[in-house]
Amino acid sequence: MVEIGYFSFCLALILASFATLCGVIALLKPFAILCEMARNALVGTFLCILMPSLVLWYSLFTHDFSLDYVFKHSAVNMPPGYLFASFWSALEGSHLLWTLILSAICAYSISTISKDNIYYCPILSIVYGVSLAFMLILNLTVSAPLVRLFPSGVFGQGMNALLQNPYMAIHPPMLFTGYSLLIVPFAYSCAAFYYQHMSLSWFTIVRKFSLLAWIFLTVAIFLGGRWAYCELGWGGYWAWDPVENSSFMPWIALTTSLHTFLITKNTQRLPRLALFLVMIAFILTFLGTFMTRSGLMSSIHSFAQSSLGPSYLIWIVLLLLVTIIFVFTKGYELPGAGQSYVWKFSREAVLLFAHFFFLFLLALVLMGTILPLAIEFIKGIKISIQQPFYNAFAPWIAFGLVCAIGIGNLMTWRSGKIKSPFFSLVIPALLASLFTLICAIFKNIDHRSLICYFVLLWSGFILIAGIVLKLKDMQWNALELIKNHRGYMGAQIVHLGFLMCLLGFIGNYSPLSQDLTLDKQQTKQIFGYSITNKGLDYSSSFNKQEIKNKLVLERDNEVNVVEPSRNKFTNNDQWFHEVGIYSTWWHDIYIVLSSFDIHNESVTLKINYNPTVKMVWTSLVVMVIGILIGITHSSKKKPISVSPS
């Protein structure tokens, strides 16, 4: 079985190289048969990569400890779900998962290419083929998942205990799917530069894959935050950790590029910037992977040091060179590039302001992530850039974005006219003031947070007013709005979800924390709740021992049970946290079992009162719904275009 997997890797590399060769020849002599051969080769590459993936999964489930990866990252007593997820729990397996997903997306993209985009096929074949060949070379050399272990291991060392969590089991596939989807906009951008052509079908496919990538990246980031919130016991979900930042940077670049494409499509301006940003988003996925796998930075998320890092660095430099060469040698020839344009105070101008905030945030995160590595490399001095650095800038960036979201969505393209200013601006301000006043009366909120609430609520009500005005223009025909304006509706819902997320973030700046010691059956008051220790429960299953503390929370005749626990795994002597959370719309009671006495069942708890956290998790659902609505919209507006050369 292992030998079949190895030879499948080799055959996949040959097919990927063949697809690249077909693409190169098709650039010189454009024969349709060459594109057909490249397509078949890329489909064959996916099927060949699928084979070693199935071999690895089979080896994991049959506990074939003659494989080094299976022995080091699985065990005979692991639950089946985590046995399946152990495929991507370490460096070699996660790289294979990325290669598998990337090959599937490349095969799908080239197989479903429309007739209008068929002349892009040579460039697409080259980009897909070279990218897959690079990934496969690593699968055969420095990141080989099918290496034999002699003599064979016994029992297995097991999966990283911190990763045995449902959120972390789902996070890597979502993240790598988001990363992989970005290869399609990257390849089409290379084709647009080469052929100087961006047709309606080009915009459609780039928009579709960019939005899909945005969905998966957003979900992956939120899953990572939820894992940190539930598993690590520190009370937060985002610490500006370098590896967290590495997945956040492609998201920022992709979000900015999506808004740039709006300007390009509606005003025929900034085509170079639009293409450059979506290409940078793809490159940043490898930068994050390089930092994760190089061992250069210390993080609970990072893999051990390996020889994979330098390979990624070379690949990043190559992609950057390709991008820069296209931008500076072909960019000025793009239709719409370099032409004079009077930037009035209009929707596109507000989007430019939003670009400034997004790009400033991207530069800030990139600098905060890379600078410590550069200083250590140059001077040998270790420094660490922590939350205060980012938190000094992030609120102001968010404020600028919130204002741009509210006002920009009301303005028209080019003229900047705002319909019904009183209804769309003044009434939302009055409603925001009312809700802010209610929060001030019934909730203990500081003045700075109240100002933030007002601005966010005002922007949110402006978006709702915009939807109402849109319906009014359609004579209140909601079916027309749903049928022909799903792109608009999806964007508004996504923006509302983003504002809700920021509302949730505000509470993270003012959590309350207190330690509490309780004997068995003892009751104490904390944060307006009565909390009673009902004792400890002991259990064991598969590879885990668990000590669970049963707590009863009472408030206003409402009784709830919260059970924080500590887990110990057979492959690790350390006790890990499993946080107990009682969640309401306004706050979380976040309980960590800090210590316990198994004799008298007394416990010491760390209890956090975390405001507005549920809004963060709910906002993800809202944003995903918005994107799914928007992605079903097919634009019929003709963008800038010239005939292909």
Side-chain angles (χ1 to χ4, degrees):
M1 290 289 290
V2 174
E3 287 71 22
I4 293 174
Y6 178 80
F7 285 115
S8 293
F9 270 137
C10 296
L11 181 57
L13 179 58
I14 293 171
L15 289 173
S17 303
F18 180 72
T20 305
L21 180 62
C22 289
V24 172
I25 297 174
L27 284 179
L28 305 175
K29 296 183 178 180
F31 294 120
I33 187 64
L34 290 172
C35 293
E36 185 76 14
M37 293 168 65
R39 185 195 69 182
N40 293 336
L42 289 170
V43 173
T45 302
F46 161 66
L47 294 175
C48 288
I49 296 172
L50 181 61
M51 177 57 69
S53 303
L54 294 175
V55 168
L56 182 56
W57 262 310
Y58 177 80
S59 301
L60 287 166
F61 277 100
T62 57
H63 307 300
D64 182 4
F65 296 130
S66 66
L67 277 182
D68 184 70
Y69 186 87
V70 175
F71 173 71
K72 288 181 178 178
H73 305 292
S74 70
V76 295
N77 61 350
M78 281 177 57
Y82 292 123
L83 202 61
F84 181 81
S86 62
F87 181 100
W88 53 78
S89 66
L91 189 149
E92 296 85 357
S94 64
H95 182 79
L96 174 56
L97 176 70
W98 191 358
T99 309
L100 175 65
I101 297 172
L102 188 69
S103 65
I105 290 170
C106 291
Y108 174 79
S109 171
I110 202 73
S111 298
T112 58
I113 190 169
S114 65
K115 292 181 179 179
D116 294 335
N117 290 331
I118 196 66
Y119 51 83
Y120 295 139
C121 190
I123 294 293
L124 300 184
S125 300
I126 293 171
V127 174
Y128 295 160
V130 171
S131 299
L132 289 173
F134 164 74
M135 300 291 278
L136 286 163
I137 289 171
L138 298 185
N139 276 304
L140 285 166
T141 55
V142 294
S143 183
L146 300 180
V147 175
R148 286 289 192 184
L149 177 66
F150 185 81
S152 298
V154 178
F155 190 79
Q157 295 179 357
M159 185 178 175
N160 185 333
L162 275 175
L163 302 182
Q164 294 194 42
N165 176 282
Y167 298 110
M168 191 48 65
I170 305 170
H171 167 78
M174 301 297 287
L175 184 66
F176 288 127
T177 302
Y179 284 177
S180 300
L181 284 164
L182 284 171
I183 194 173
V184 179
F186 179 87
Y188 272 83
S189 296
C190 291
F193 273 122
Y194 186 84
Y195 292 109
Q196 303 298 300
H197 183 260
M198 291 183 288
S199 64
L200 175 61
S201 57
W202 183 96
F203 268 96
T204 300
I205 199 72
V206 170
R207 177 180 179 272
K208 173 185 174 182
F209 278 90
S210 295
L211 289 176
L212 283 173
W214 194 92
I215 289 177
F216 280 96
L217 284 177
T218 303
V219 172
I221 290 169
F222 272 76
L223 286 174
R226 183 67 182 178
W227 166 78
Y229 189 66
C230 296
E231 189 73 17
L232 301 183
W234 63 288
Y237 44 83
W238 188 262
W240 297 101
D241 178 275
V243 180
E244 291 173 346
N245 293 345
S246 69
S247 62
F248 187 43
M249 288 187 289
W251 184 92
I252 301 172
L254 178 59
T255 304
T256 314
S257 72
L258 285 168
H259 289 84
T260 313
F261 278 122
L262 279 177
I263 297 177
T264 303
K265 190 174 181 182
N266 287 279
T267 69
Q268 290 75 53
R269 296 297 178 267
L270 305 182
R272 277 180 293 188
L273 181 61
L275 299 182
F276 175 74
L277 286 172
V278 79
M279 294 174 79
I280 286 296
F282 180 65
I283 295 170
L284 286 172
T285 64
F286 289 96
L287 178 64
T289 310
F290 160 71
M291 292 187 294
T292 306
R293 287 158 173 76
S294 63
L296 292 175
M297 55 180 54
S298 177
S299 168
I300 57 172
H301 306 78
S302 59
F303 292 91
Q305 186 171 0
S306 74
S307 54
L308 194 62
S311 303
Y312 274 112
L313 187 59
I314 294 171
W315 178 242
I316 291 166
V317 172
L318 176 62
L319 291 177
L320 272 174
L321 284 174
V322 169
T323 301
I324 292 171
I325 288 170
F326 271 132
V327 169
F328 286 100
T329 62
K330 291 285 190 176
Y332 68 94
E333 296 178 0
L334 284 171
Q339 297 181 17
S340 60
Y341 185 74
V342 179
W343 291 92
K344 300 178 181 178
F345 188 63
S346 56
R347 177 175 288 194
E348 59 266 31
V350 174
L351 276 173
L352 273 182
F353 279 108
H355 279 55
F356 168 78
F357 292 117
F358 272 124
L359 293 176
F360 182 76
L361 178 61
L362 178 59
L364 186 76
V365 176
L366 183 63
M367 181 179 67
T369 305
I370 298 296
L371 189 60
L373 302 179
I375 291 176
E376 183 179 356
F377 178 77
I378 296 171
K379 294 190 174 183
I381 301 173
K382 284 193 174 184
I383 67 167
S384 178
I385 296 179
Q386 301 294 333
Q387 290 190 55
F389 169 76
Y390 299 100
N391 291 344
F393 297 95
W396 299 104
I397 295 173
F399 177 80
L401 290 173
V402 169
C403 293
I405 287 172
I407 298 174
N409 277 280
L410 286 177
M411 303 178 77
T412 57
W413 295 101
R414 296 183 175 87
S415 69
K417 182 181 177 182
I418 297 178
K419 294 182 180 179
S420 304
F422 180 81
F423 177 78
S424 58
L425 291 173
V426 179
I427 291 181
L430 295 175
L431 289 173
S433 300
L434 176 62
F435 278 85
T436 305
L437 181 61
I438 292 172
C439 291
I441 294 172
F442 293 100
K443 301 295 180 182
N444 183 22
I445 303 175
D446 61 272
H447 296 298
R448 185 167 57 179
S449 295
L450 284 174
I451 295 172
C452 295
Y453 284 141
F454 170 77
V455 175
L456 287 166
L457 289 169
W458 183 41
S459 184
F461 284 123
I462 287 175
L463 293 178
I464 296 171
I467 297 173
V468 174
L469 290 173
K470 192 86 169 177
L471 276 170
K472 182 182 176 182
D473 291 341
M474 297 176 182
Q475 299 180 343
W476 306 104
N477 188 347
L479 291 177
E480 172 70 15
L481 184 66
I482 295 172
K483 182 179 179 181
N484 295 321
H485 298 273
R486 291 191 301 275
Y488 169 81
M489 280 301 301
Q492 300 302 82
I493 293 171
V494 170
H495 289 137
L496 285 170
F498 179 71
L499 295 176
M500 183 186 295
C501 185
L502 293 180
L503 275 171
F505 287 164
I506 292 172
N508 196 43
Y509 284 89
S510 56
L512 301 174
S513 181
Q514 185 174 328
D515 292 332
L516 193 67
T517 300
L518 290 172
D519 295 327
K520 187 175 182 181
Q521 300 301 333
Q522 185 180 9
T523 301
K524 289 186 179 180
Q525 300 290 325
I526 186 170
F527 302 135
Y529 288 86
S530 296
I531 182 168
T532 304
N533 174 21
K534 293 294 185 180
L536 301 172
D537 292 326
Y538 310 92
S539 63
S540 62
S541 62
F542 293 103
N543 63 336
K544 180 177 72 173
Q545 300 176 47
E546 184 176 31
I547 295 181
K548 186 178 294 185
N549 179 213
K550 184 177 181 180
L551 301 169
V552 175
L553 267 67
E554 296 184 57
R555 182 180 184 179
D556 299 330
N557 298 320
E558 183 180 351
V559 179
N560 296 279
V561 176
V562 180
E563 296 182 317
S565 64
R566 299 292 292 272
N567 302 325
K568 187 177 181 181
F569 296 85
T570 54
N571 65 340
N572 199 311
D573 292 331
Q574 182 181 351
W575 286 94
F576 293 91
H577 294 289
E578 197 67 45
V579 178
I581 302 173
Y582 170 65
S583 184
T584 70
W585 179 251
W586 184 256
H587 65 260
D588 280 4
I589 300 297
Y590 180 96
I591 305 175
V592 178
L593 182 58
S594 299
S595 62
F596 53 86
D597 190 320
I598 60 174
H599 301 293
N600 59 22
E601 300 190 40
S602 65
V603 296
T604 298
L605 308 170
K606 179 184 177 182
I607 304 178
N608 282 24
Y609 179 92
N610 294 336
T612 64
V613 176
K614 197 166 189 176
M615 294 184 189
V616 176
W617 315 128
T618 306
S619 70
L620 173 63
V621 179
V622 176
M623 287 190 284
V624 169
I625 290 173
I627 285 291
L628 292 177
I629 291 173
I631 208 169
T632 61
H633 172 75
S634 297
S635 175
K636 297 179 181 179
K637 184 173 181 179
K638 186 177 179 180
I640 54 176
S641 177
V642 295
S643 300
S645 55

